[in-house]
Amino acid sequence: MTVNTQARTDEFTDIYDLGEPIADTRAPDVDVRQRWETRRFEAKLVNPANRRKLKVIIVGTGLAGASAAATLGEAGYHVTSFCYQDSPRRAHSIAAQGGINAAKNYRNDGDSIYRLFYDTVKGGDFRSRESNVYRLAQVSVEIIDQCVAQGVPFAREYGGLLDNRSFGGVQVSRTFYARGQTGQQLLIGAYQALERQVAAGTVINHTRHEMLEVIVADDRARGVIVRDMVTGEIETHFADAVVLATGGYGNVFFLSTNAMGCNVTANWRAHRKGAYFGNPCYTQIHPTCIPVSGDYQSKLTLMSESLRNDGRIWVPKKAGDDRPASQIPEDERDYYLERQYPSFGNLVPRDIASRAAKYVCDEGRGVGPGGLGVYLDFADAITRLGRDTVEAKYGNLFDMYAQITGENPYETPMRIYPAVHYTMGGLWVDYDLQSSITGLFVTGEANFSDHGANRLGASALMQGLADGYFVLPYTLANYLADGPYEPIDETHPAAVEAKQQVTDRIEKLLSINGTRTVDSFHRELGTIMWEYCGMARTEGGLLKAIELIRELRTEFWRNVKVTGVNEDLNQTLERAGRVADFIDLGELMCIDALHRRESCGGHFRVESQTEDGEALRHDDDFAYVAAWEFGGDGGKPVLHKEALIYQNVEMKQRSYK
């Protein structure tokens, strides 16, 4: 299908169709402060004896998946868990560095559940759902107690009390942390709870298995098709409900801070079966990452946002100044975030800090190779606090930076630049975390629900554990109370069809035998996405990207080379299936970004900005969730709008000045 790439004023009816509006009908119609308590009371219960008759499949073993599997297993359900890693411990949650938010107000600095709720809604640029965000803030205080009870070694003050630090977009200290290894410590806590249930026999964990299809029988999610990544065997598994906790899709950009195995296949397979995809264009560019150093790179490295507590970000005042940082006097440095946003300084939200870094680099004031970097300087902090104190807080992060760059950050400022890090978009879910497919629940980064157009730092871990430990066990029980559902087996037409779809796709990939590697397609897709659907987006660029992605898809299915066979360990085959899904997702992301003719959070349309270059929303036209329905192979996606109604916060232009 050819795309009209000229400037347009129409609604792009040649690219997508408009469907019926949708709404979240699960959230009780009561005051937001009572909504979750009311929902928990109204939810149906399953008595302990009946739980033993019910089966749940959970795909993914990161914080959201491991916590859900452990909690449901301990409740007595039969849980089958899948991950593509060789151990649940290797889920990408382990890479999270800086911390986890909770409205404990231990610092007595004015924090509260409402303030965390407000900060999250404002940080997401008023594009998240009030009900879900308030629940997240409420549950946050329980997460810390849960994790401390598990033995998670949070940092503590001298007197033994839990310590806190600040993250971007807030003016209080509510982030609990374990040096720069918070994700690792939290995942180990969830993992030990999961393994306890494995030992108890309530959870069966399948490692090195990749989900390739969801089974939808009689309009309910009833199972999954997985591939044993060691033997190539295609397996069919059934349950009364399916939970996807499979993380985000940042690797659509090829270069990101995500682990290289992170992919969208589970979500995309569900999307093709009827699950709506919410706000796919909402992606987060993290401002503090180690800059790209060459074409040979296949991933990027995050430097924790926590570093912005004590590090100061600056560039030379004069364009083209290539002197070493140590030779640039103080009065010739521009601490541009402190200058532009005096109220928040270096702790502005990620989308704002990333765009500010891009602007100064575009002006020719960037540092390092290619001028794509800014300084993150700890000289003042070391002078004020002493090197030992800085090392105690950030030592492992400094060591990591030194090992990757060969530079000593205690003596020379770090060089950082924005990079793709997180995706706020994901499968659309209601208040119960159930997708538009009955019986298919989606948790953590895999769903769209909590962060709007921009996630605040230290809130990903909060959402993953909130969903797994405290939300899903109630809402899933409400669904399972009507079960167990009629048993089905491999002879059911839906199971036969799903398995055939998987085998046909694998055979097709193996039979093409073209001349281009899978990675060459992935890299080209990433270049298109970063150039036209990255930090700055325009109508013309997005139209061009859609055209280029469609050409790339045609070339992929004509000329990709997948070596080896299915009946063996075949990483090329694994990557080929994932890249094919990334290509399809990339097109939908560009369509979503094209239709949203406003700037909000991480979605920045150049045509919609304030006089000083900030994101300019259009609430009258775009205060809704864009939930996309799959339109069939070769068909147009269908847009369903869920209106965002704010009763507890006032929608207004964000300001962090």
Side-chain angles (χ1 to χ4, degrees), residues 35-274:
R35 209 161 282 168
W36 177 230
E37 189 65 33
T38 302
R39 181 66 188 125
R40 285 196 298 180
F41 179 75
E42 291 178 348
K44 301 172 186 175
L45 301 177
V46 181
N47 80 55
N50 287 341
R51 293 174 200 163
R52 295 192 292 270
K53 305 173 185 176
L54 295 162
K55 297 180 180 179
V56 180
I57 285 173
I58 299 179
V59 184
T61 57
L63 287 179
S67 59
T71 307
L72 293 170
E74 186 148 7
Y77 299 100
H78 286 286
V79 178
T80 305
S81 172
F82 297 93
C83 66
Y84 65 78
Q85 298 91 347
D86 57 0
S87 165
R89 263 194 332 274
R90 292 185 182 271
H92 187 57
S93 298
I94 205 165
Q97 298 171 356
I100 177 171
N101 289 329
K104 287 284 198 180
N105 195 31
Y106 282 171
R107 288 292 183 92
N108 195 29
D109 56 1
D111 200 11
S112 64
I113 288 172
Y114 182 84
R115 187 174 295 280
L116 174 52
F117 159 67
Y118 178 80
D119 286 344
T120 304
V121 171
K122 178 184 176 183
D125 217 350
F126 302 92
R127 289 294 177 263
S128 53
R129 190 192 282 156
E130 262 197 358
S131 299
N132 293 61
V133 178
Y134 197 89
R135 176 177 64 189
L136 179 63
Q138 286 178 301
V139 169
S140 71
V141 298
E142 302 175 47
I143 297 172
I144 302 304
D145 297 339
Q146 166 87 2
C147 295
V148 169
Q150 289 176 335
V152 173
F154 287 122
R156 293 178 181 268
E157 296 175 337
Y158 179 77
L161 300 178
L162 293 176
D163 196 14
N164 293 113
R165 58 190 179 196
S166 297
F167 262 60
V170 305
Q171 293 177 306
V172 297
S173 295
R174 66 162 67 103
T175 304
F176 296 78
Y177 64 98
R179 294 187 79 192
Q181 306 170 344
T182 314
Q184 176 179 333
Q185 300 304 327
L186 291 173
L187 184 61
I188 289 172
Y191 170 72
Q192 68 185 19
L194 171 63
E195 288 302 305
R196 178 171 173 268
Q197 295 310 311
V198 171
T202 61
V203 176
I204 299 174
N205 189 41
H206 296 273
T207 60
R208 305 297 293 274
H209 281 69
E210 183 171 23
M211 176 191 147
L212 297 179
E213 198 59 79
V214 61
I215 299 170
V216 181
D218 305 317
D219 297 321
R220 294 181 187 273
R222 294 301 308 277
V224 294
I225 307 293
V226 299
R227 178 178 179 270
D228 184 319
M229 295 163 65
V230 177
T231 67
E233 182 181 357
I234 307 302
E235 304 173 4
T236 308
H237 295 263
F238 300 98
D240 295 291
V242 177
V243 179
L244 299 185
T246 49
Y249 48 88
N251 276 349
V252 69
F253 291 89
F254 185 70
L255 286 177
S256 81
T257 66
N258 289 182
M260 291 187 63
C262 294
N263 63 84
V264 76
T265 290
N267 269 14
W268 195 254
R269 297 291 105 191
H271 174 60
R272 290 175 59 92
K273 283 292 178 72

Side-chain angles (χ1 to χ4, degrees), residues 310-312 333 376-384 409-411 413:
D310 292 305
R312 300 180 69 194
R333 301 178 177 187
L376 180 60
D377 196 338
F378 286 84
D380 285 356
I382 291 173
T383 300
R384 184 179 76 254
Y410 293 104
E411 300 173 357

